[in-house]
């Protein structure tokens, strides 16, 4: 487990966000602004339209042109949140940690597990908090599945199926579609970061990885259709799908045990709410009755109440970590574990075989942060 950080002296914690596109504007900024103990102090963006948007949405936050200018006065902030394109995650996180700031990085934390481990070790050496925004751990469906497993409602689970399938048939000119490794593009790091993290959190380290990594859309140059099979301890298998070319989506999750099964369709409501400009409050994250999953076997299934989604819990955990010295809401070594799996997946697809992860990988990167 990553060591806890030294509590900050300033209250509320002064937070700066790098980037004010979708991740920064719709996810990080509103969650930070509504978390007791945190204050959205600054946002790094040079785009005139986004600066105007910031003035409307968060009038007390100052706009800063560049991260370099922000970090020139590190005493003015306590936490840097990196919500900029993937290529910037490692250099910005390193610069912030070297400046004495704790850091939240949007997923994926890095392009390689080696880069991620270096960041974790730097944070530990400096006594600073480093955590990764794995918000899908607080999706309603994931929280519900985790509770069902913990309560023994499914019995001994042998298969976990999970999907993020999209219908994006047209290739667009954006960094996520680039094959340049520097950009860390493709659907595997984009959606796979969430799916893999959820599977490892539920069932522990992956012992074996099999993958099919394909590029299917006309004009695409990077992976856009991926299947992963992870074998965990106890012979639990996770089957994970991510696709940009899925005209009809399968269940969001299906979990099979020797006592019962659970299937749920559709998406957690929180992303849509944040994109629509809504903010956490009473009734946040609640799933309508019509969208509940089915629990049971054969013809004996019933709609099972979903736990409400809780994205605000992530930044509440960040606030506690920074003010009380508790562990961060996501151990960054969990993000390293997911990257190890992604690297094994690419090797599996290239070689056409399952990859057994080395003992040192499981002991070091994978086992370091995964919890059940």
């Amino acid at each position: 487990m990553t060591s806890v950080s030294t509590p900050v002296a300033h209250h509320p914690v002064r937070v700066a966000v790098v980037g004010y596109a979708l991740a920064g504007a719709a996810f990080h900024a509103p969650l930070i602004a509504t978390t007791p103990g945190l204050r959205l102090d600054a946002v790094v963006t040079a785009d005139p339209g986004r600066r105007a948007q910031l003035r409307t949405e968060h009038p007390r936050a100052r706009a800063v042109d560049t991260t370099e200018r922000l970090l020139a006065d590190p005493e003015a902030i306590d936490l840097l949140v990196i919500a900029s394109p993937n290529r910037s995650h490692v250099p910005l996180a390193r610069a912030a940690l070297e400046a004495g700031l704790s850091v939240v990085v949007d997923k994926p934390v890095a392009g390689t597990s080696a880069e991620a481990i270096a960041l974790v070790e730097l944070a530990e050496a400096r006594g600073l908090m480093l955590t990764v925004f794995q918000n899908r751990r607080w999706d309603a469906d994931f929280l519900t599945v985790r509770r069902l497993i913990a309560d023994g409602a499914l019995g001994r689970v042998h298969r976990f199926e999970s999907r993020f399938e999209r219908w994006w048939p047209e290739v667009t000119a954006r960094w996520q579609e680039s094959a340049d490794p520097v950009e860390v593009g493709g659907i595997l790091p984009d959606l796979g970061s969430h799916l893999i993290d959820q599977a490892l959190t539920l069932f522990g380290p992956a012992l074996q990885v099999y993958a099919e990594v394909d590029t299917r859309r006309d004009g695409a140059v990077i992976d856009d259709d991926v299947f992963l099979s992870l074998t965990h301890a106890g012979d639990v298998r996770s089957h994970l799908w991510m696709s940009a070319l899925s005209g009809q989506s399968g269940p969001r999750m299906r979990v099979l045990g020797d006592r019962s099964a659970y299937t749920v369709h559709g998406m957690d409501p929180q992303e849509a709410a944040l994109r629509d400009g809504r903010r956490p409050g009473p009734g946040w994250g609640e799933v309508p009755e019509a969208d509940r999953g089915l629990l049971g076997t054969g013809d004996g299934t019933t709609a099972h109440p979903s736990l409400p989604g809780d994205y605000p819990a992530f930044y509440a955990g960040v606030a506690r970590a920074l003010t009380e010295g508790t562990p961060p809401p996501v151990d960054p070594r969990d993000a390293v574990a997911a990257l190890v799996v992604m690297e094994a997946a690419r090797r599996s697809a290239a070689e056409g075989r399952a990859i057994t992860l080395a003992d040192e990988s499981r002991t070091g990167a994978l086992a370091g942060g995964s919890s059940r």
Side-chain angles (χ1 to χ4, degrees):
M1 173 65 73
T2 297
S3 59
V4 298
S5 59
T6 303
V8 302
H10 194 278
H11 300 283
V13 175
R14 300 162 299 177
V15 185
V17 176
V18 180
Y20 206 64
L22 175 63
F27 286 88
H28 294 279
L31 292 174
I32 292 164
T34 54
T35 299
L38 301 182
R39 185 181 78 205
L40 182 62
D41 186 76
V43 172
V44 176
T45 179
D47 182 271
R50 292 173 183 170
R51 291 168 78 99
Q53 179 185 354
L54 176 65
R55 286 193 297 271
T56 299
E57 295 173 343
H58 303 281
R60 294 188 177 183
R62 56 194 170 97
V64 182
D65 288 339
T66 65
T67 308
E68 291 76 16
R69 179 170 294 180
L70 179 76
L71 295 181
D73 184 15
E75 297 298 323
I77 57 174
D78 305 299
L79 171 68
L80 187 71
V81 175
I82 300 170
S84 45
N86 292 352
R87 65 180 178 276
S88 67
H89 289 184
V90 170
L92 290 183
R94 184 188 302 117
L97 292 168
E98 290 175 345
L101 299 175
S102 290
V103 176
V104 171
V105 188
D106 211 316
K107 59 80 193 170
V109 64
T112 68
S113 60
E115 291 175 322
I117 290 169
L119 290 178
V120 172
E121 292 175 346
L122 177 59
E124 292 176 344
R126 299 296 180 95
L128 297 166
M129 186 203 72
L130 171 67
T131 190
V132 184
F133 188 60
Q134 296 288 171
N135 59 300
R136 295 294 181 179
R137 290 191 186 188
W138 290 273
D139 276 1
D141 45 34
F142 179 78
L143 293 174
T144 302
V145 165
R146 195 171 191 179
R147 174 69 63 82
L148 288 169
I149 293 172
D151 289 348
L154 304 176
R156 184 169 58 86
V157 172
H158 56 271
R159 181 175 298 170
F160 171 63
E161 299 175 0
S162 183
R163 294 171 172 84
F164 279 140
E165 295 175 321
R166 305 287 191 261
W167 179 241
W168 297 330
E170 302 297 327
V171 176
T172 57
R174 57 192 187 120
W175 61 263
Q176 292 94 333
E177 302 274 18
S178 172
D180 186 342
V182 172
E183 297 289 356
V184 197
I187 208 161
L188 181 56
D190 184 13
L191 302 182
S193 293
H194 287 308
L195 295 173
I196 294 167
D197 178 74
Q198 289 182 333
L200 299 185
T201 300
L202 288 173
F203 304 111
L207 309 182
Q208 190 177 76
V209 178
Y210 168 78
E212 299 167 7
V213 180
D214 295 301
T215 303
R216 298 194 181 278
R217 294 171 299 163
D218 291 340
V221 295
I222 193 70
D223 52 270
D224 57 13
D225 188 66
V226 176
F227 167 75
L228 301 181
S229 175
L230 312 183
T231 303
H232 307 266
D235 288 331
V236 179
R237 284 194 172 86
S238 292
H239 287 176
L240 313 176
W241 290 264
M242 60 220 77
S243 179
L245 200 61
S246 180
Q248 295 186 22
S249 297
R252 170 66 188 89
M253 290 182 179
R254 188 172 75 132
V255 194
L256 306 180
D258 62 4
R259 179 179 300 172
S260 190
Y262 177 76
T263 303
V264 62
H265 290 76
M267 294 295 296
D268 175 276
Q270 295 174 96
E271 178 175 347
L274 289 167
R275 283 174 175 260
D276 288 344
R278 284 174 276 169
R279 298 294 178 260
W284 180 260
E286 291 183 354
V287 177
E289 287 189 23
D291 295 334
R292 290 177 176 178
L294 295 178
L295 176 66
T297 61
D299 294 331
T301 59
T302 58
H304 183 76
S306 299
L307 293 176
D310 193 12
Y311 289 176
F314 175 83
Y315 273 108
V318 168
R320 287 192 299 272
L322 293 177
T323 58
E324 302 173 19
T326 59
V330 175
D331 188 327
R333 289 188 182 272
D334 290 355
V336 176
L339 287 167
V340 170
V341 170
M342 279 188 259
E343 290 165 348
R346 293 199 183 279
R347 183 180 168 196
S348 169
E351 299 179 7
R353 65 183 183 90
I355 302 298
T356 299
L357 296 179
D359 290 339
E360 57 267 26
S361 295
R362 298 203 302 270
T363 303
L366 285 174
S370 295
S371 59
R372 300 190 71 126

